Amino acid sequence: MASGARHNARMGDSASAKPCLFCEIVKGERPAHLVLDSADAVAFLDARPLFKGHTLLVPREHIETLPDLPEHMLGEFFAHARRLASAMEAALGAAGSFVAMNNRVSQSVPHLHVHVVPRNRKDGLRGFFWPRHTYASDSEAADYAARLRAAL
């Protein structure tokens, strides 16, 4: 299936198709704590973070998987991921970061997204059994997003 066909199928050209959650965030139709808002990509806090500050980076355009990402977008997209990984250390005092992506299998939203997660030694993340942490409040999440934005 061509990437344009995937785009149409996911975006809901028919009444029965589900709209893309991440496209709704990109368009401002669904609330999210934005960390990065650029011409080609958006990053926002994960609603179910592994650790506070866990950020999802998505292309503005609806692209389902990494193999579907056009060559001309690859460099800039991953430059954003690199900046986010650096921001985890600068803004949150993390010792490092975990950067990951799923393609179809375990991809909870069928819109390309890169997880950038702050990491510290002995933080409890082991293999692929990941604890989830929640923000105490919406204002705490907003504070994390603001700190990361400032570090970018």
Side-chain angles (χ1 to χ4, degrees):
M1 181 187 288
S3 122
R6 260 189 219 105
H7 172 79
N8 292 339
R10 294 292 182 201
M11 289 307 300
D13 287 347
S14 72
S16 64
K18 271 177 71 174
C20 173
L21 173 74
F22 291 168
C23 286
E24 289 177 350
I25 291 171
V26 166
K27 293 176 186 174
E29 297 169 353
R30 180 178 292 269
H33 292 282
L34 294 184
V35 172
L36 178 140
D37 189 358
S38 73
D40 61 333
V42 173
F44 47 90
L45 295 181
D46 192 310
R48 294 181 52 238
L50 293 174
F51 299 109
K52 294 174 183 180
H54 178 167
T55 300
L56 301 177
L57 171 67
V58 304
R60 280 190 171 279
E61 179 182 337
H62 184 87
I63 296 169
E64 188 173 324
T65 66
L66 182 59
D68 300 321
L69 187 67
E71 185 76 27
H72 72 274
M73 294 175 68
L74 194 59
E76 189 62 30
F77 187 72
F78 282 98
H80 292 309
R82 181 178 60 198
R83 289 177 55 220
L84 286 165
S86 179
M88 297 291 157
E89 295 179 33
L92 306 180
S97 62
F98 173 72
V99 180
M101 169 188 315
N102 291 304
N103 288 293
R104 288 189 187 78
V105 176
S106 295
Q107 187 179 8
S108 59
V109 176
H111 185 130
L112 174 67
H113 56 285
V114 175
H115 296 261
V116 184
V117 182
R119 292 294 313 273
N120 289 293
R121 297 193 193 312
K122 299 184 181 184
D123 60 15
L125 190 63
R126 301 217 190 298
F128 287 97
F129 298 101
W130 299 341
R132 296 288 182 162
H133 296 78
T134 58
Y135 296 98
S137 65
D138 194 55
S139 63
E140 183 185 32
D143 176 62
Y144 271 78
R147 289 163 57 192
L148 288 165
R149 272 194 310 275
L152 291 174

